[in-house]
Amino acid sequence: MPTLTVMEASEAIRKIRSSVNKENSELTSSKAWQALEVHYAELRDVTMRNLFENDAQRFERFSIEFEDILFDYSKNRFTEYTRDLMVKLAKELNLQDKIAAMFDGQKVNWTENRAVLHTALRNRSDREVHVNGEDVMPLVHTELEHMREFTEQVRMGGWKGHTGERITDVVSIGIGGSDLGARMVCEALQPYQIAEMNFHFLSNVDGSQIAGILKKVKPETTLFVVVSKTFTTLETMTNARTARDWLLNYLNDEEAVAKHFVAVSTNESGVVEFGIAKENIFRFWNWVGGRYSLWSTVGLPIALAIGMDNFEELLDGAHAMDEHFRKSSLDQNIPFIMAVLGIWYVNFFMAPNHAVLPYDQNLDSIVEYLQQLDMESNGKAIKKNEDPVDHATGPVVWGRAGTNGQHAFYQLLHQGTAMIPCDFIAPIESSNPVGEHHHILLANFLAQSEALMKGRTREETRQILEMQELQQADIVKLLPHMTFNGNRPSNTILLKRVTPRSLGSLLAMYEHKVMVQGMIWDINSYDQWGVELGKTLAKTILRELKSTSTVFKHDSSTNGLMNYIKQSKE
Ligand code: F6P
């Protein structure tokens, strides 16, 4: 067997992939794609060091300002010609028409035959948005009003619990898109949070999480917000039922549920059946996907935490980004540029990872949020015409807040065999200015992307080692280990501060990035059949786990594991 280097193997896979189904793929047979293949071969050995050395204006040329956000993409293996080809690709694929179709309420979620209109939830203009001929904006405004009325009562202490006490704790019960967005925004905007109330997020069906939360709250002063689009999700319903039992166990009166439980759902009958009063239902619609839903009533915990005015600022920020995305030319369009950079690395450099590195502790959860947004949206392999794709799609998204990540996995970013494009995100002003802390944080933030881009040549390394007056033999030994190839790409996203508005814009920016990639790859970014399969199987297995009989219907591993668990319990 011949042994291939990682680079040779990647190249071989690239060739195989681009030769499969070629005649079927509008994307890989497009003129712009073919030109990108040629361009890739020319650019792959060019270093960013060189690109910077040869162009004193590279930062200005490859950065875009939007309100309080600066998007710098100069530290990428990307030239004006790459950008031109990507714009040509978008034109060849009629990308602008696809974007317009989404904003206009056409059923772009073709497997579920639904419109995708999270942008209508934050449409702050007087533009009508139609679904099946009906303008949905009045529905959106009614629910926003409902949220305002309710959240003001709770925050001011006007909403009393069953025993007449004010609400001090809110427990949001949901999972996935019905949890991550609200949790992340509440953390990110922690300085805007009302001091008189505490917020808890319950998502895992693991009893340890609910047990931990219930230890911290009192039934008389706790409000549960059950968030579930379908109101059938096993984890959420199990947690909600346990919370209700706990409440009734203390308060001993069914009527208490109305004062301590509200629901956010599209499934009104399911909510009523659970025992929550009709007037305590906050509605949204099937044209809002779970992972795109924080802008809807799913954001109720956010509005309770930061107030409705701030929640509307979040919507304003997202709407401003929607307008930038809809109206800017593609070469100045932040979500478009982010999307095509991703495609450049996934499909040409064969780099299937993407790291998100927020230098702000309050933004730590944005990693998880973007993980769901990206991986649940673009973890697909079938095109609109039902053929399999002939190219890679969504990357693995992961990361962690800096500087903790630096002391955990950055070694691999700098010197591992894989090239992992990164997004560095930081606010210029801290939400909690303490002494020198933020300067140190920002210095690390800037140092990392510079190091990844520049690396350190053998010669530079030798000079450093020589200054340390080491023996020549030791220098020779250390040189290869301490030399960094660099040429590892990253985007830098600077926010003046993390405010409701700038956060809204940042999140909308990523949503559109993911959507553009889905459109170019010709996959449906709005369904999640893979997750549905797991949900269905879990229901069957749950029944079998609870029964006393031996299980034999699955593969030998699943049967064996189940029977082992049952025996251990006996
Ligand atoms: O993870 C799969 C998923 O369907 C997500 O898309 C959704 O956000 C989550 O489950 C929760 O679903 P629901 O809001 O219906 O409880």
Side-chain angles (χ1 to χ4, degrees):
M1 277 280 282
T3 316
L4 297 183
T5 65
V6 172
M7 285 300 286
E8 284 165 347
S10 307
E11 186 61 13
I13 294 167
R14 205 174 71 81
K15 281 192 183 139
I16 293 165
R17 287 210 180 131
S18 60
S19 65
V20 177
N21 280 343
K22 195 151 214 164
E23 69 282 9
N24 292 332
S25 171
E26 188 195 355
L27 175 62
T28 53
S29 60
S30 67
K31 278 198 189 122
W33 191 271
Q34 311 259 315
L36 281 162
E37 298 246 12
V38 175
H39 175 53
Y40 164 75
E42 291 159 358
L43 199 73
R44 74 179 158 198
D45 297 324
V46 174
T47 66
M48 284 187 274
R49 258 194 192 226
N50 266 330
L51 295 175
F52 273 99
E53 277 161 15
N54 295 333
D55 180 4
Q57 300 296 306
R58 186 166 169 84
F59 169 69
E60 286 76 13
R61 249 191 261 287
F62 294 94
S63 54
I64 305 172
E65 260 187 284
F66 169 81
E67 296 193 354
D68 282 354
I69 297 178
L70 173 72
F71 173 64
D72 168 24
Y73 65 107
S74 57
K75 292 193 186 85
N76 277 291
R77 297 166 76 168
F78 198 79
T79 65
E80 274 165 342
Y81 183 56
T82 328
R83 191 171 61 196
D84 290 347
L85 287 179
M86 289 295 183
V87 171
K88 278 197 182 126
L89 179 71
K91 294 207 167 120
E92 246 184 282
L93 300 175
N94 297 320
L95 182 77
Q96 301 284 35
D97 292 349
K98 292 179 183 165
I99 294 171
M102 192 211 72
F103 275 94
D104 290 347
Q106 290 179 35
K107 297 190 171 160
V108 294
N109 175 353
W110 59 80
T111 60
E112 296 177 305
N113 198 28
R114 288 176 185 168
V116 175
L117 276 178
H118 45 283
T119 49
L121 301 166
R122 60 210 191 199
N123 171 20
R124 315 295 285 165
S125 72
D126 48 17
R127 205 163 56 89
E128 293 185 0
V129 182
H130 294 266
V131 176
N132 296 328
E134 184 197 3
D135 180 15
V136 297
M137 290 316 300
L139 301 174
V140 171
H141 292 140
T142 305
E143 283 310 310
L144 284 174
E145 225 11 80
H146 188 193
M147 283 173 81
R148 179 173 287 279
E149 202 186 300
F150 174 73
T151 54
E152 281 177 359
Q153 272 194 50
V154 176
R155 286 165 57 87
M156 309 283 283
W159 178 283
K160 305 282 187 219
H162 188 60
T163 59
E165 288 188 58
R166 74 155 289 160
I167 298 297
T168 57
D169 289 83
V170 172
V171 180
S172 169
I173 307 180
I175 197 163
S178 295
D179 165 63
L180 289 166
R183 176 151 60 87
M184 175 270 297
V185 173
C186 285
E187 279 173 31
L189 298 178
Q190 206 275 334
Y192 293 79
Q193 205 161 298
I194 184 168
E196 292 79 9
M197 289 164 69
N198 305 307
F199 291 82
H200 314 267
F201 288 85
L202 172 56
S203 53
N204 199 334
V205 75
D206 182 338
S208 301
Q209 199 184 17
I210 188 163
I213 291 175
L214 294 182
K215 262 187 222 155
K216 292 188 204 147
V217 299
K218 284 194 338 182
E220 299 86 343
T221 53
T222 300
L223 176 72
F224 293 95
V225 182
V226 186
V227 188
S228 176
K229 182 172 169 180
T230 53
F231 226 73
T232 56
T233 304
L234 189 57
E235 294 90 332
T236 301
M237 297 324 295
T238 307
N239 278 326
R241 276 191 288 270
T242 304
R244 191 185 52 186
D245 292 348
W246 171 84
L247 184 95
L248 291 177
N249 190 32
Y250 279 97
L251 299 180
N252 227 346
D253 184 354
E254 281 284 338
E255 285 186 10
V257 175
K259 288 286 162 203
H260 293 271
F261 274 83
V262 298
V264 178
S265 186
T266 59
N267 175 3
E268 192 174 313
S269 55
V271 178
V272 171
E273 204 177 303
F274 180 86
I276 293 177
K278 249 190 179 175
E279 59 276 17
N280 291 344
I281 306 178
F282 294 82
R283 290 174 177 77
F284 66 116
W285 307 275
N286 74 9
W287 41 264
V288 181
R291 54 194 170 274
Y292 301 90
S293 65
L294 74 86
W295 322 99
S296 69
T297 48
V298 170
L300 190 66
I302 305 174
L304 283 164
I306 65 173
M308 202 55 198
D309 288 347
N310 282 321
F311 183 73
E312 293 201 359
E313 284 270 312
L314 185 83
L315 302 184
D316 289 342
H319 175 66
M321 181 52 74
D322 293 343
E323 292 300 280
H324 162 84
F325 175 58
R326 257 171 16 102
K327 294 179 180 163
S328 307
S329 64
L330 292 179
D331 60 352
Q332 290 302 315
N333 193 311
I334 305 177
F336 174 76
I337 298 288
M338 289 174 89
V340 295
L341 280 164
I343 285 182
W344 189 224
Y345 295 127
V346 166
N347 296 122
F348 294 87
F349 286 80
M350 294 295 172
N353 278 266
H354 187 88
V356 178
L357 310 168
Y359 277 66
D360 181 324
Q361 191 58 41
N362 289 346
L363 282 179
D364 199 17
S365 294
I366 202 172
V367 177
E368 247 182 293
Y369 171 79
L370 292 179
Q371 208 168 44
Q372 188 204 14
L373 174 68
D374 204 320
M375 294 172 74
E376 201 166 273
S377 295
N378 287 343
K380 317 278 165 68
I382 301 295
K383 293 184 295 176
K384 190 169 184 185
N385 68 1
E386 285 103 45
D387 282 341
V389 291
D390 59 345
H391 47 77
T393 58
V396 181
V397 176
W398 54 274
R400 192 173 178 190
T403 56
N404 293 358
Q406 282 176 218
H407 295 272
F409 55 78
Y410 277 41
Q411 168 59 36
L412 186 143
L413 298 183
H414 287 288
Q415 289 188 305
T417 48
M419 179 183 96
I420 302 179
C422 308
D423 284 354
F424 286 90
I425 307 171
I428 297 171
E429 286 171 38
S430 167
S431 307
N432 291 293
V434 182
E436 276 291 284
H437 287 238
H438 203 60
H439 271 123
I440 297 171
L441 188 68
L442 284 182
N444 274 283
F445 164 79
L446 294 168
Q448 291 301 324
S449 59
E450 184 179 26
L452 286 166
M453 182 275 283
K454 262 189 161 169
R456 190 169 62 197
T457 64
R458 221 177 146 80
E459 211 25 61
E460 287 165 347
T461 310
R462 180 188 296 281
Q463 281 170 19
I464 291 168
L465 291 173
E466 278 172 358
M467 274 171 11
Q468 293 172 15
E469 293 172 11
L470 292 175
Q471 299 284 327
Q472 201 50 35
D474 289 335
I475 293 181
V476 170
K477 205 163 120 192
L478 284 173
L479 256 181
H481 300 284
M482 294 181 63
T483 299
F484 294 74
N485 293 336
N487 219 14
R488 295 177 179 226
S490 66
N491 295 318
T492 300
I493 301 163
L494 272 175
L495 282 69
K496 283 211 171 104
R497 276 194 316 127
V498 180
T499 62
R501 187 176 177 96
S502 66
L503 183 65
S505 300
L506 180 74
L507 301 178
M509 189 168 109
Y510 273 100
E511 282 180 351
H512 295 316
K513 167 203 162 172
V514 167
M515 197 181 74
V516 166
Q517 292 186 331
M519 287 170 179
I520 292 179
W521 285 325
D522 199 21
I523 53 176
N524 185 347
S525 302
Y526 315 108
D527 58 13
Q528 58 283 320
W529 298 106
V531 189
E532 305 304 335
L533 171 66
K535 286 186 189 174
T536 316
L537 288 181
K539 280 186 187 151
T540 315
I541 291 184
L542 176 62
R543 268 197 310 275
E544 292 168 337
L545 263 187
K546 290 201 305 203
S547 88
T548 46
S549 35
T550 306
V551 180
F552 57 88
K553 283 188 186 151
H554 300 261
D555 57 274
S556 67
S557 164
T558 313
N559 288 337
L561 290 167
M562 259 197 272
N563 292 327
Y564 185 84
I565 292 172
K566 283 169 178 242
Q567 278 159 19
S568 304
K569 283 195 168 167
E570 278 162 26

